[in-house]
Structures are given as structure tokens and as C-alpha cells.
Amino acid sequence: FNSGMDVSTQSSNMTERYAEEAEVLDWSGKFNEKHTKIVDMCNKYSKNYIKQHFDFLAANYEGMYLKMGYPDPKFCAKHVSQLVEKNKQNLSEVKVMDFACGTGLVGKYLSEKGIDKVIGIDVSPNMLEEASKKGIYEELTEYTCGQSPNDLP
């Protein structure tokens, strides 16, 4: 990616982008300019600012995700529960680590399938805060991929 800006200009723009807290939007109705702005931000961020990016989006992430109809969390939970049953394991005894748990949608759907021993890991403290509100995870840990695997919970 080459935007034509030097690195210091790009860095300054990214810092300004996340300077203010995101407004929490109502995702149940029609989209407006504010919704479009948040959706556009999801596709345009620097990996150098991944923590700030997802902290900024956390309050709107789940509403946006569900409004757009992405089935990934449900499919993930369905696949895990089928795998557990195929291996003749007890759903209530299986322990799952949910990497990039975000707001906790996968954990929510795992719980609905009877899997209650879930550990969530995410780079964003704000996403982890949203996930904690669901009361599903045994443990939530802030972790950045690329750190030593010995640092995993």
C-alpha cells in the first residue's frame, strides 16, 4: 500500500482518526452516514494501529456485524460442537480458546450449544470489555499475536 504520504503523515492521520471516542450507534434501523463511516473504517486501517482500531470500533462492532448478516460466529460454534460430538466428547467438559474473541459472539453461540468452558483472547481491551458483559468466558486475556507463545494463558 502506498498512499503517497510519508510515514510520519500516515502515523499522524491514524492517531487523529482514533483521537475521539466512537459514538455508539443504533444498528437496528436504516443505515445513515455515521453507519457508513464506521463500516468504511473496518476496511481501512493500518496493522500498526490494530489495538487502537478495534478499541475504537468495540462499542459498534457487534451491532454492525449482526446488521450485515455475517454468520461466522454461529458457523464456528456449530462446527466446534459437531467436532466435539464426532469425537465423542462431552460438550460441558470441553475447553475452548477463542482467539480474537472480539465482543464474544462465538463464545455466546458456543454457550448456547452447551460449551461453557471458554477462554477469550483479543488484542483490544475494549472488545474484551464488551465480551465480559456476556458473562460467558471463564477468562479474558489481552494478547497480541506475535508475542511469545509462552505468554499465552
Side-chain angles (χ1 to χ4, degrees), residues 10-148:
Q10 287 177 3
S11 178
S12 175
N13 287 344
M14 293 306 274
T15 303
E16 291 170 14
R17 178 182 207 174
Y18 304 118
E20 294 181 23
E21 200 170 305
E23 176 184 351
V24 179
L25 303 177
D26 176 5
W27 293 89
S28 63
K30 292 184 178 182
F31 270 34
N32 62 35
E33 291 174 19
K34 292 178 181 180
H35 293 99
T36 302
K37 182 179 176 182
I38 294 287
V39 171
D40 285 346
M41 284 185 77
C42 284
N43 298 316
K44 300 173 186 171
Y45 69 94
S46 166
K47 289 180 183 177
N48 296 332
Y49 291 89
I50 195 164
K51 186 175 189 173
Q52 294 91 333
H53 176 74
F54 284 102
D55 273 349
F56 183 82
L57 294 175
N60 286 296
Y61 189 81
E62 190 167 314
M64 175 181 55
Y65 203 87
L66 295 172
K67 176 71 172 184
M68 296 174 118
Y70 290 121
D72 302 358
K74 284 184 180 179
F75 284 151
C76 181
K78 179 181 174 184
H79 180 72
V80 169
S81 67
Q82 288 173 340
L83 185 62
V84 168
E85 289 171 354
K86 179 181 174 184
N87 289 314
K88 299 180 181 3
Q89 295 171 295
N90 187 333
L91 290 170
S92 65
E93 294 175 4
V94 171
K95 196 165 204 172
V96 174
M97 188 170 286
D98 183 0
F99 281 92
C101 67
T103 62
L105 283 174
V106 170
K108 173 186 170 190
Y109 296 126
L110 285 169
S111 180
E112 289 174 6
K113 297 279 185 189
I115 300 172
D116 294 320
K117 294 179 178 143
V118 183
I119 295 173
I121 297 173
D122 201 276
V123 68
S124 164
N126 291 358
M127 287 286 202
L128 292 168
E129 179 64 30
E130 293 295 320
S132 74
K133 293 175 185 176
K134 290 181 175 52
I136 292 166
Y137 291 88
E138 283 188 344
E139 183 181 336
L140 289 164
T141 301
E142 182 182 338
Y143 182 80
T144 302
C145 289
Q147 289 176 278
S148 169

